[in-house]
Amino acid sequence: DAGVTQSPTHLIKTRGQHVTLRCSPISGHKSVSWYQQVLGQGPQFIFQYYEKEERGRGNFPDRFSARQFPNYSSELNVNALLLGDSALYLCASSYWDGPIGYTFGSGTRLTVV
Amino acid sequence: AQSVSQHNHHVILSEAASLELGCNYSYGGTVNLFWYVQYPGQHLQLLLKYFSGDPLVKGIKGFEAEFIKSKFSFNLRKPSVQWSDTAEYFCAVKEYNQGGKLIFGQGTELSVKP
């Protein structure tokens, strides 16, 4: 079975540019969450979507946005990139919105120069 | 705001030594608790989770964790570590009504010497 897949795996962008990161959850999983992991720290929650609706938003600026598609895949968009946005962006999926474990993808390594 | 604290940033052990990694959280309500492991170059993998019931939880690869509600703690233990346990370990907490929002600790890097 395919796990959570994220694309691209690595990305280099210039300050001020826009980036779109993609996530495909495990088949049958309806919930997708996004996290940012800066080197040396634990992941920080950005967004959660369940059944195509936003269910939670972390403490990130409005430059960060996301959406979930009818097939439950998801995109994370970041506008006006800053050097501080350089991080590993993780996607996690689960079957539903309740108390259940989350499966993480391998992440997209974003470097902003 | 809810926070998760992992006591040790880097732990170095010899093979066969016992392991205990500390995790404390700040939220007083009902929580779900998780330990994730990240092996070098790999993605986060779930080691174990606690939702309710027996506070002693057994996970994969011989790991276990004990939920002590009065101490707001969820410490990870393994009686005898192996070189292959070298990895970064993250404790995470989810408030009961907060959907998919996991709050992670800063992580503990474990190095096991052969």
Side-chain angles (χ1 to χ4, degrees):
Chain A
D1 286 341
V4 178
T5 57
Q6 293 187 243
S7 63
T9 54
H10 295 83
L11 200 54
I12 300 174
K13 289 286 191 178
T14 304
R15 275 179 300 176
Q17 285 189 315
H18 162 90
V19 69
T20 297
L21 310 181
R22 295 178 174 81
C23 172
S24 293
I26 290 173
S27 178
H29 283 196
K30 300 180 180 180
S31 174
V32 170
S33 300
W34 287 95
Y35 291 80
Q36 180 195 66
Q37 187 177 15
V38 173
L39 199 62
Q41 296 181 22
Q44 277 200 294
F45 175 77
I46 310 175
F47 285 109
Q48 188 218 355
Y49 279 78
Y50 175 68
E51 288 281 18
K52 302 177 285 295
E53 290 186 1
E54 183 183 302
R55 288 299 189 97
R57 173 185 286 254
N59 189 23
F60 281 80
D62 291 343
R63 298 184 295 107
F64 289 76
S65 64
R67 55 180 176 168
Q68 187 176 33
F69 298 99
N71 67 353
Y72 302 110
S73 67
S74 178
E75 283 183 354
L76 175 70
N77 295 283
V78 186
N79 292 323
L81 285 166
L82 303 174
L83 295 179
D85 295 330
S86 296
L88 180 66
Y89 288 85
L90 298 169
C91 174
S93 78
S94 64
Y95 176 68
W96 65 302
D97 199 20
I100 196 168
Y102 302 88
T103 303
F104 282 81
S106 298
T108 293
R109 173 72 62 188
L110 172 66
T111 302
V112 182
V113 297
Chain B
Q2 161 107 255
S3 65
V4 178
S5 175
Q6 292 184 237
H7 308 303
N8 309 101
H9 287 238
H10 192 187
V11 172
I12 302 173
L13 295 173
S14 297
E15 275 192 318
S18 64
L19 170 73
E20 180 160 4
L21 301 182
C23 173
N24 285 90
Y25 62 94
S26 62
Y27 182 66
T30 301
V31 292
N32 303 140
L33 300 159
F34 306 82
W35 274 98
Y36 281 88
V37 60
Q38 192 168 31
Y39 297 103
Q42 297 188 26
H43 62 279
L44 281 168
Q45 298 175 41
L46 182 65
L47 267 182
L48 47 79
K49 59 185 184 287
Y50 172 80
F51 293 147
S52 63
D54 189 344
L56 185 61
V57 180
K58 294 194 183 299
I60 61 172
K61 305 187 181 188
F63 286 91
E64 65 179 30
E66 184 176 13
F67 170 49
I68 303 179
K69 189 174 182 179
S70 62
K71 295 184 177 181
F72 301 93
S73 70
F74 190 55
N75 292 354
L76 181 71
R77 298 195 292 249
K78 186 172 184 178
S80 175
V81 294
Q82 302 172 325
W83 176 78
S84 57
D85 292 324
T86 295
E88 188 146 21
Y89 293 80
F90 293 95
C91 178
V93 175
K94 185 176 84 66
E95 295 175 31
Y96 184 69
N97 62 348
Q98 288 295 306
K101 180 181 179 180
L102 294 177
I103 298 173
F104 283 84
Q106 69 270 36
T108 297
E109 184 181 349
L110 173 64
S111 299
V112 180
K113 298 183 293 184

